[in-house]
Each structure stands twice: as C-alpha cells, then as structure tokens.
Amino acid sequence: RMGGRSSKEKSYEDHVLPHGDALVELVGGKLWLVEGSLPFPLPRNMIIYRLPTTSNLLVWSPIAVNEALLAKIAALGTVEVIVVPSTHHTMDTAVFKKKVAPEARVACPSSVRSVLGELATSNIEDEAGIKAALAADGMPEGGELALVLDLGDGRGAICFCDLLFNVVDVGDVSWFGKFVGTHIFGSIGPLHVTKFGKRFF
C-alpha cells in the first residue's frame, strides 16, 4: 500500500478510503485480510494475524476502516503489535493506533523509525516469535520488510506489500487512474514485480 507521511492534522475519518466490508478469513482463526484501495487502482490491504504466543493480534500495514469493520476486528481480540513494513506504509499508522490500539507496540525496520519517530516503539527484530527479513539482498535504505507468519502444522504465510502485484480488475476508474496504475507504478496486470518494486526495492 502506497502512502505518504502520517498526518497529525487529519482525523481518523479523513483517512478512511474505499475498502471492502468483509473481514476475509484466510486461515481459520489465525489469519484475516482487509481489502482496500487508494482512489486510483492501487490496493492498500491489511493483514491481521493471531499471535501464537499470546493469542492477541498482529496488524500488518494498518489501514483506516469504517466503524462496522472496526467492530469485527475488535471481536477478534486485542491488537498487541502493529507492523509497519516500509517508509511507504506510514499513512494510517498514527490514527489507527490512537483509535484502535493505543497500547499496542509499533514494530518496524530501523529504516522506518526515522519516519515514525516516537510512534515506533519496537524494532521488528526484537519481536519474539516473528521471523522478519528484508525482502531482497542488497535492498536500499527504506526497503520493504517481508514477514513470515507461523500458522502451525508446518504451514506459514509470507506478508509483503509492493514487490509483487496482480491487479487485473481495476473496476470503474478514470483514464488517469489507469495511466498511473499501468505506467507509473506498473501495478496492473498478472502477478509480476512492479516498476515501483524494481525502482525502490
């Protein structure tokens, strides 16, 4: 999910952009997906994971959602950790933490701490039970984090954001939105490494 710096001037409601109404269960009782997007065809999705050590929740790349979906998230349990994977994913961090999980730790790579400042309270490397690594060798400063989640029974999941895209159905968007998605970010088309990913990650 592409974003700018977190804004202190905007309210939580100002950060809520188009998103689905469902909390999509990917793995029973352990892993959920919230699907959203920017105004142009670029997804901004959020992953919710139940930590095996405490049964609380980890939120990967938080996005602001409406009250109905917030209630569904709250029903899952307490958000313990918020993970910010790169400097391009800070847009909703402050407002999400304030509204949803004031006591949650905000974990990120060292490169993101310069953007989040005091909001970042934990280095991702210090989070017990979470395997984290930069998503490619030789990644530049500000590169994207990949997170490996243990789903039990020898299963796992890898979270990443901008390295790979498979946006095929862009819906009813303007020609400008399609131009940005296709030619600027390279995010439209079958599963592939995007222009954005090649340039910055």
Side-chain angles (χ1 to χ4, degrees):
R1 174 182 64 81
M2 176 66 177
R5 302 297 185 259
S6 54
S7 172
K8 296 181 180 180
E9 292 78 17
K10 292 183 177 180
S11 68
Y12 178 87
E13 289 71 22
D14 291 331
H15 283 254
V16 178
L17 294 176
H19 63 77
D21 296 326
L23 188 58
V24 182
E25 190 171 45
L26 301 177
V27 178
K30 295 182 179 181
L31 194 65
W32 298 265
L33 169 69
V34 176
E35 297 179 288
S37 71
L38 290 172
F40 50 89
L42 188 69
R44 51 182 235 131
N45 299 333
M46 172 170 63
I47 289 289
I48 300 171
Y49 168 67
R50 190 174 302 284
L51 293 162
T53 51
T54 65
S55 294
N56 290 332
L57 305 176
L58 175 149
V59 171
W60 164 271
S61 192
I63 65 173
V65 296
N66 62 27
E67 294 293 337
L69 202 48
L70 284 178
K72 294 178 182 180
I73 295 172
L76 295 178
T78 301
V79 176
E80 180 179 334
V81 185
I82 298 170
V83 178
V84 184
S86 81
T87 55
H88 301 289
H89 291 256
T90 63
M91 187 168 69
D92 292 349
T93 305
V95 294
F96 185 92
K97 175 177 168 61
K98 181 178 180 180
K99 186 173 181 68
V100 180
E103 303 301 319
R105 301 187 301 279
V106 176
C108 60
S110 57
S111 60
V112 183
R113 295 183 71 88
S114 61
V115 176
L116 294 180
E118 295 182 355
L119 190 63
T121 57
S122 174
N123 287 319
I124 191 67
E125 296 85 357
D126 298 329
E127 290 293 332
I130 297 173
K131 296 180 181 179
L134 292 177
D137 292 337
M139 185 175 296
E141 185 74 9
E144 182 179 299
L145 179 76
L147 196 66
V148 180
L149 305 177
D150 181 9
L151 300 175
D153 300 323
R155 299 177 300 167
I158 301 176
C159 291
F160 55 86
C161 292
D162 299 317
L163 288 176
L164 294 173
F165 270 74
N166 61 338
V167 181
V168 178
D169 182 8
V170 298
D172 185 18
V173 300
S174 67
W175 68 267
F176 180 74
K178 292 180 180 178
F179 174 83
V180 171
T182 302
H183 297 288
I184 305 300
F185 294 107
S187 56
I188 296 176
L191 186 64
H192 64 288
V193 178
T194 64
K195 293 179 181 178
F196 189 79
K198 290 177 180 178
R199 181 175 178 82
F200 293 102
F201 303 111

